Amino acid sequence: MENGKLLDVRDLRIVLDADGEDVPIVDGIDFSIAPGKVLALVGESGCGKSVTSQSLLRLLPRELRIASGQIDFRHPETQLPVDLASLSEDGKAIRNIRGNHIAMIFQEPMSSFSLLHSMGDQIGEVIRLHRKTSKAETRTLVIEMLDKVGISDPDRAYDQYPYEFSGGMRQRAMIAKALACSPSLLIADEPTTALDVTIQAQILELMRGLQGEFGMAIMFITHDLGVVAQIADEVAIMYMGRVIEKGPVREIFLDPKHPYTVNLLRAIPKLGDLRVRRQLEPIRGAVPSLFERPEGCAFHPRCDSFMAGRCDVQLPELAEIAPRHEVRCFLHETAREGDAT
Amino acid sequence: MVDAAQSKPRRGGRLRRPELATQWQLMWWKFKRHHLALIGMSVLAMLVFLSVFAGFIGPEAPFNRNNKFISGAPMGIHFFDAEGNFHMRPFVYARTTKRDSVTLRKFSVVDESTRWPLRFFVRGASYKFWGLIETDLHLFGAEGGFIHLFGTDTLGRDLFTRTLYATRVSLSVGAVGVTIAFILGAIIGGIAGYFGGMIDNLIMRLIEFIRSIPTLPLWLALSAALPREWTSFQVYLAITMILALTGWTHLARTVRSKLLALREEDFALAARLSGCSDARVIFRHLLPAFMSYMIVDATIAFPEVLLAETSLSFLGLGLREPVESWGVLLYAAQNIRSIAHMPWLLIPGLVVILAVLAFNFVGDGMRDAADPYSK
Amino acid sequence: MTSLLTVSDLKVYFPHGKAGMFGRPTGYVKAVDGVSFEIQRGETFGLVGESGSGKTTLGRAVIRALEPTGGDITYHRDGAAIDIMALDRRAMRAMWRHMQMIFQDPYSSLNPRMTVRDVLSEPLIANKLAKGAELDDRVIDIARRCGLDVEHLSRYPHAFSGGQRQRIAIARALVLEPEFIVCDEPVSALDVSIQAQILNLLKDLQKQLNLTFLFIAHDLAAVAYICDRVAVMYLGQIVEVAPTEALYYSPKHPYSEALMSAIPEADPRQAMKPLLLEGERPSPANPPAGCRFHTRCRYAMQICRESPPALQEAGAGHLVACHRAEELTLKGALEQGPP
């Protein structure tokens, strides 16, 4: 594991058990997160971003499993890397990490709360699992946390039940629960997708603020490029289970290299184009079914720069074409030597 | 241009076109993967077949009495005789009657010296095939004597043949009862679900009232109220109606809740906007959407009706002789003496178990396959 | 530009709560509470708002896909003004030949038990407009226009991707050759790369077939791309109506300002500075007195708490419901103003 990295995922492969056949869902991805930074994992349906996030904390459903690869996490207590992929799914080691050093928030806040317990009890449970605090101390910590995430009257909120909260407040409460033990990494799986745009803005502001205060890294999964541009430091674009481009956010948006990235950016409406009335340029076709993965580069059937005999036969490697900017595409592999393309 | 439609995975090399498959084909494919359900289905098919050809398959005519074999135990079929010789043609040992010297009762004794070989397509006692065609052709019979696979009762009547005829009666009571309950439930539940509001309210209260009446006392009371003079056929119809009239409530609730949910679905609204009349929306769009659930419900209701009829008849309050159902057959096995001396009289009970299990397995399989479009 | 649809003081109230043995409602959710606007022939009129704004309800009420509780809807056709609210069921069914709807969820808006051909033929059959060869021709024609092939017609919806199903839904809406289409979040459920396909398809079809759209969406960037004029709804009422550029770059209602500032632009150079709203969105069953937005408005004054503002002209074709519209200068999206 490289020095300075908090999380380093290498050649991760996750397969789906479909009636005895193993279908690759995530087909060898690499990415890493530096401490205190935000990495956005971006892609459309079927790209495997949610599955990847679940696999980090070994929360995959039964039909999915990690086939190979490493998930190195620098454990804050020992400062040594732990391969999360090698840990037993129900073992003490992973449970010591979940909620404590790595936390997760989801798209639908209602489904991550129990209806039968008060909000305070549920958030307090996380603290008591990992810290030896008394009931009174826990209560104080929870109320502090609720206040930090911007829930008004946190004292009263402690005793309320999740269904009494509005959507935005539930999302805040979920964040409070996730950050209760000051994790060094927060995995956010589409946390704002289901929210109104004004609430989304509030939550994003909140996350940015808390990130700075806690010094924690965030792995932000989304399909919304607008949100990515606003919150990410680094971006990894996924397509059909592979990372096809990654790099600093400015590089990706202002100088995209992979045809998928380029086309994706041209296909989304931007307010900046409103005045010039730029026509949207859709990507033709649709994402193929995971059971019918194209040979070679998975994007080739939809690619305008498709090179027959190459793209449909071989899988290109991830190559660095600029500092920290890597692309998986035959168009750019010659740039490895440093020439501009 | 738009890409070609995505086809579902082709597994095991089988070339299927799921994109062209209708709802029923999808259901069947799903159903086939449920092995117990397939077994259940075969068993049911066999029972239906046996009941249709009861007269032909059973070696005796239903009410024939065999004086030479009263209260006889089931006769076993052998391939090897007492000396250990193998015979190609299966046979049963002859039975002779002897009289007990003390009680002066007649009883049957196995005579291993004489064999009655089994022959197929024999001429035997005459019967009317479905009451229409008079014939005396039977599937099998014992040459030179008789064969009673399930034994006989105190009157010497062949239990095997009677069980076959009883299958016909029990299954038909079930079928007719379920069908009536089905239609009633669908209509009433449909009205409640589609129109909602006060109508729905009233119907639901009515259903709750009916369901709160304990069924067994209700059935007993109703069937005890049947006039004794009624013919067995009238009794048959009455019992069927009684079972149906208490059984429609479950289906009505299912239909109602499905309709309430479905009529708000976008495709139902789109159908209305396309100019479809209410009737067309119900029959073309809403009904097919939950037809599969209704069929599952019916399949599960069947064994309930079967067991209800069997119980009633067993208690002597349902069908009565000469109409024979499994329950009526079991009625004869009601006392300790019968069970002690003639335990084979309980064999129809095994058939009931077999049928109910088969229906349950099929119902399970159908429930799993019920909605191929559910996510 | 002539008016196609005029809506006046439209109300849609839903009863909620159950009391008593027969479940009488204890109150009403005022999903749409006195909305008035006009849609011009040939334009794409956008309707935006967040959850609880009532925009979806309004979209359905406008074509009587659900029954409004009160108000007037006037449809102008061939010089005649048709009072939509006065039509009986049969007349309304005939009216739906001219007004159609496209739904958000491409999975639940198509009957999974009908082939594509059946889906597209049904409106013509139900309205007795065509049969036999003519029916087939019209079905094939509209399918092609929406990017579907003839071989797709014999397949069932479950064989198609989300984007293709939406094309089928659009084709179904168009097969009767309507003039007016309510698009209820037509691209929200689709992948980002497919949304552009469908948005462009809608634009092309509008030109080819002279359509007028009511485009309901919560994705403000998509609305900006396709709409000529946009109305903003908050808690059952329209708070602002303006041509797209004017609304986005010079909004006049504080809520619109907050919305525009919250749009995350897909450009890391344009850092968002959202104007965050205070408090929580009130429940539509219990809207605040006076101006409904006043509880969250940074510019609220006494008059705002007391009397509800009317929707009034504040510039060319620009309507706003705010007591302070004249005095306030609000920020637009991307902090850009008119040149």
Side-chain angles (χ1 to χ4, degrees), chain A residues 54-213:
Chain A
Q54 289 169 6
S55 72
L56 297 185
L57 282 179
R58 310 304 303 282
L59 295 170
L60 290 173
R62 227 158 17 111
E63 321 75 74
L64 293 167
R65 66 169 209 284
I66 299 178
S68 66
Q70 278 178 288
I71 306 173
D72 283 334
F73 173 64
R74 187 176 299 281
H75 203 288
E77 283 165 14
T78 61
Q79 287 303 313
L80 291 174
V82 175
D83 182 7
L84 300 177
S86 67
L87 297 177
S88 154
E89 257 184 31
D90 335 312
K92 266 190 115 173
I94 191 74
R95 279 187 283 129
N96 165 260
I97 293 176
R98 281 185 200 142
N100 194 7
H101 301 297
I102 303 181
M104 196 156 169
I105 59 175
F106 304 90
Q107 178 173 347
E108 186 43 65
M110 202 52 192
S111 50
S112 58
F113 284 115
S114 157
L115 295 172
L116 303 174
H117 301 89
S118 72
M119 202 52 105
D121 278 344
Q122 296 189 50
I123 302 177
E125 182 183 22
V126 179
I127 299 179
R128 298 195 69 190
L129 271 174
H130 297 291
R131 308 260 184 276
K132 290 188 176 34
T133 50
S134 71
K135 266 194 139 178
E137 282 170 353
T138 311
R139 191 190 164 101
T140 317
L141 285 170
V142 170
I143 294 179
E144 246 178 64
M145 205 60 228
L146 288 173
D147 185 44
K148 242 192 250 267
V149 299
I151 290 180
S152 52
D153 201 355
D155 229 356
R156 196 167 143 255
Y158 184 98
D159 295 308
Q160 283 183 314
Y161 286 82
Y163 61 82
E164 297 181 67
F165 287 49
S166 72
M169 281 180 65
R170 274 185 226 145
Q171 198 57 293
R172 289 172 190 271
M174 187 158 68
I175 295 174
K177 187 173 172 198
L179 300 185
C181 295
S182 311
S184 46
L185 173 64
L186 173 69
I187 304 176
D189 189 353
E190 309 246 27
T192 58
T193 304
L195 301 176
D196 285 330
V197 72
T198 52
I199 314 256
Q200 171 176 269
Q202 291 176 350
I203 299 293
L204 289 177
E205 280 275 301
L206 174 67
M207 288 177 74
R208 264 198 289 246
L210 290 172
Q211 187 216 1
E213 188 183 326

Side-chain angles (χ1 to χ4, degrees), chain B residues 2-3 5-6 18-23 265-267 269-270 272-276 278 280 285 288-289 373, chain C residues 22 60 89 93 96 100-101 103 108-109 111-114 122-123 127 147 154-156 158-159 164 167 172:
Chain B
V2 182
D3 57 302
Q6 329 209 354
E19 60 268 19
L20 296 176
T22 63
Q23 168 195 9
E265 285 277 316
D266 287 344
F267 71 82
L269 177 58
R272 278 178 49 222
L273 290 176
S274 298
C276 295
D278 278 335
R280 197 182 163 100
H285 294 272
Y373 301 116
Chain C
F22 288 101
R60 292 183 185 214
R89 284 177 81 131
R93 243 188 271 147
W96 283 328
Q100 275 294 322
M101 190 157 177
F103 300 86
S108 65
S109 69
N111 186 339
R113 292 160 180 85
M114 290 169 75
E122 182 167 53
N127 280 290
S154 45
R155 297 186 189 175
Y156 288 84
H158 59 80
Q164 289 169 311
R167 289 173 189 270
R172 172 183 57 194

Side-chain angles (χ1 to χ4, degrees), chain B residues 303-316:
Chain B
E304 287 174 15
V305 176
L306 273 180
L307 286 173
E309 183 276 315
T310 304
S311 318
L312 275 181
S313 304
F314 175 73
L315 294 173

Side-chain angles (χ1 to χ4, degrees), chain A residues 262-302:
Chain A
V262 173
N263 286 330
L264 201 58
L265 288 167
R266 285 206 207 121
I268 55 174
K270 297 201 197 79
L271 291 183
D273 298 330
L274 177 58
R275 192 148 284 142
V276 301
R277 298 264 161 195
R278 179 185 71 88
Q279 183 80 347
L280 289 183
E281 294 163 63
I283 307 180
R284 60 184 158 82
V287 181
S289 148
L290 285 166
F291 297 99
E292 299 188 337
R293 179 184 293 272
E295 286 288 318
C297 168
F299 186 64
H300 80 252
R302 306 170 76 188

Side-chain angles (χ1 to χ4, degrees), chain A residues 44-45 166 196 198 230 283, chain C residues 50-51 191 193 197 272 280:
Chain A
E44 297 179 290
S45 53
S166 72
D196 285 330
T198 52
Q230 297 299 322
I283 307 180
Chain C
E50 301 183 300
S51 44
D191 272 335
S193 59
Q197 287 180 14
M272 218 163 77
E280 291 291 319

